[in-house]
């Protein structure tokens, strides 16, 4: 935060979940130098500012209608904080995703919904393929296809398509 710039509102306590120390997306919580609102700044590549409210559900429809640029929040388990994935217009937007809107000075944020990390997909310490049983026949078939030359593999896929 620059000297002389004061936040217009209190810092939301959940910003530490979006921008923890050592996060992979290089996000930092900061005060916008123009309007004084809290924003998330991405310091990776081109520096961008995002409103910290999570957009999902009906707010997502509003953001699309207003033509606001969005980025998807993706949780990477084992990493510190979420990563950002840019979407192009309406392409790449999923109805069950969580998004951040580009910060626009002078405009009210579309959402003030706090960020809650998604539930973990698997228990920590448990192998990825737990519960999957492979037979010897499955392993032999995999090895046969894995060692197959590319020309034969292309012919094999064409014959299955036709």
């Amino acid at each position: 935060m620059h000297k002389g710039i004061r936040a217009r509102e209190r810092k939301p306590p959940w910003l530490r979940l979006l921008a923890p120390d050592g996060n992979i997306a290089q996000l930092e919580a900061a005060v916008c130098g123009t309007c004084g609102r809290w924003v998330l700044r991405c310091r990776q590549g081109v520096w961008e500012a995002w409103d910290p409210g999570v957009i999902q559900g009906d707010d997502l429809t509003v953001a699309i209608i207003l033509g606001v640029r969005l980025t998807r929040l993706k949780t990477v388990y084992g990493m510190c904080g979420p990563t950002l994935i840019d979407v192009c217009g309406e392409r790449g937007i999923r109805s069950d995703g969580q998004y951040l809107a580009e910060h626009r000075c002078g405009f009210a944020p579309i959402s003030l919904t706090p960020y809650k990390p998604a539930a973990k997909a698997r228990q920590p310490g448990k192998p990825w393929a737990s519960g999957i049983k492979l037979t010897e026949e499955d392993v032999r078939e995999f090895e046969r296809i894995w060692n197959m030359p590319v020309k034969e593999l292309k012919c094999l896929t064409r014959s299955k398509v036709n």
Side-chain angles (χ1 to χ4, degrees):
M1 188 159 64
H2 302 291
K3 286 185 176 181
I5 300 172
R6 299 196 62 149
R8 288 178 34 178
E9 66 263 350
R10 298 184 111 197
K11 181 178 180 179
W14 46 268
L15 277 183
R16 66 179 168 70
L17 295 173
L18 273 170
D21 293 334
N23 63 10
I24 192 169
Q26 304 265 334
L27 288 175
E28 71 175 357
V31 175
C32 177
T34 307
C35 65
R37 291 192 181 271
W38 282 99
V39 295
L40 286 166
R41 287 208 176 108
C42 183
R43 297 174 288 155
Q44 196 171 14
V46 176
W47 286 30
E48 300 168 313
W50 305 96
D51 286 328
V54 175
I55 296 176
Q56 54 191 3
D58 291 339
D59 291 336
L60 189 56
T61 306
V62 172
I64 292 170
I65 291 170
L66 293 175
V68 177
R69 197 165 70 95
L70 300 171
T71 187
R72 183 178 19 218
L73 291 167
K74 181 177 180 188
T75 304
V76 179
Y77 300 103
M79 296 294 187
C80 189
T83 59
L84 300 180
I85 300 171
D86 287 336
V87 295
C88 182
E90 299 86 39
R91 296 175 191 257
I93 293 179
R94 298 186 339 212
S95 61
D96 62 343
Q98 294 182 323
Y99 298 88
L100 295 177
E102 181 179 34
H103 176 68
R104 296 177 177 181
C105 290
F107 290 94
I110 293 172
S111 174
L112 298 174
T113 306
Y115 171 72
K116 293 179 188 167
K120 295 193 184 252
R122 65 178 187 88
Q123 295 175 352
K126 202 170 188 185
W128 284 102
S130 63
I132 297 175
K133 306 288 186 225
L134 292 176
T135 64
E136 289 294 323
E137 183 181 332
D138 293 334
V139 173
R140 281 195 300 274
E141 180 66 13
F142 173 80
E143 287 176 347
R144 182 184 74 79
I145 293 172
W146 183 263
N147 293 322
M148 189 179 287
V150 175
K151 282 185 178 181
E152 290 180 35
L153 190 59
K154 285 182 181 177
C155 292
L156 180 68
T157 56
R158 281 191 204 125
S159 66
K160 286 188 178 185
V161 171
N162 294 334

